[in-house]
Amino acid sequence: MLVTAAELADYMDQRFNNRQSDSAEVVIAGIQSEIETIIRRPVESEQFVEIYHVPEDYLVVSAESYFYDRSFDRTYNGLNNLVAPPYMLYLRQTPVTAVAQVRKKGRVETAFTAQTPNTMWKQTRFGIELFNVLAFDTLEVTYTAGLDGTQIPYIRQVILRAAAREMQNMVDDVLGLQDLQARQITIKEIGLTDSEKATLKRYKRKQI
């Protein structure tokens, strides 16, 4: 998590006991998850293993004629020197920080085969460019992706603010029960405010 229970206690100028620290970790994890839902990407780099399928409309083209229309003839009769253009695979999580492995399985194959980096594929910011695939191939990609939230002070600040509000509500409830009477306080807003959500959208992943 981007923020620890100890950092939240310092932010609130409080001293948490063990039970309060456990509660703080749950609150922080929930708020970080809410932020990731809003911006549609992780705020910390994580490793993912995902399966992709090359679509059936990814077909070879003639290197001799740029005017061949495959919608009229998918048999390629009379065409020579057929080539497969690079296939751009956009990964589900971004930005991509590292690709550990790419494995491919053909339509009639039963086992995956490792693909050589820089020769059979190349990493990009949003995915990988492949040079050795055909329609109906299955790809297994192991990669690391996500924002470096430790370098984005605003995201940490939002987590601290929202977690502090929720923890203060919990502390007030506990003190009220101990005193056997309701405390004359104003309940603080739970979760992210509309203003925080609107500002976080600057980090939102744009659909590719």
Side-chain angles (χ1 to χ4, degrees), residues 39-42 48 50 52 87-99 121-130 141 143-147 202-208:
I39 67 176
R40 301 195 307 182
R41 67 174 81 193
F48 303 89
E50 297 173 346
Y52 296 86
Y87 176 67
M88 185 64 209
L89 175 65
Y90 293 103
L91 299 173
R92 298 185 183 100
Q93 310 296 333
T94 62
V96 178
T97 56
V99 178
W121 60 270
K122 181 177 68 175
Q123 177 185 334
T124 69
R125 178 174 170 79
F126 298 103
I128 52 177
E129 190 175 14
L130 298 120
V141 184
Y143 68 103
T144 303
L147 295 173
R202 74 176 67 172
Y203 304 104
K204 185 175 182 179
R205 174 182 176 175
K206 303 300 187 292
Q207 187 66 40
I208 298 176

Side-chain angles (χ1 to χ4, degrees), residues 60-123:
V60 295
V61 297
S62 172
E64 301 173 352
S65 173
Y66 295 100
F67 303 100
Y68 176 72
D69 191 341
R70 60 178 172 79
S71 64
F72 294 111
D73 177 19
R74 296 199 175 198
T75 64
Y76 309 109
N77 291 330
L79 291 178
N80 298 313
N81 194 17
L82 299 177
V83 296
Y87 176 67
M88 185 64 209
L89 175 65
Y90 293 103
L91 299 173
R92 298 185 183 100
Q93 310 296 333
T94 62
V96 178
T97 56
V99 178
Q101 180 177 248
V102 178
R103 300 201 301 164
K104 184 189 74 169
K105 182 173 66 175
R107 186 177 186 180
V108 297
E109 296 174 336
T110 58
F112 283 99
T113 303
Q115 303 296 287
T116 306
N118 299 321
T119 300
M120 297 179 177
W121 60 270
K122 181 177 68 175
Q123 177 185 334

Side-chain angles (χ1 to χ4, degrees), residues 191-205:
L192 301 175
T193 65
D194 291 339
S195 174
E196 290 167 342
K197 291 177 182 178
T199 308
L200 283 169
K201 287 183 178 178
R202 74 176 67 172
Y203 304 104
K204 185 175 182 179
R205 174 182 176 175

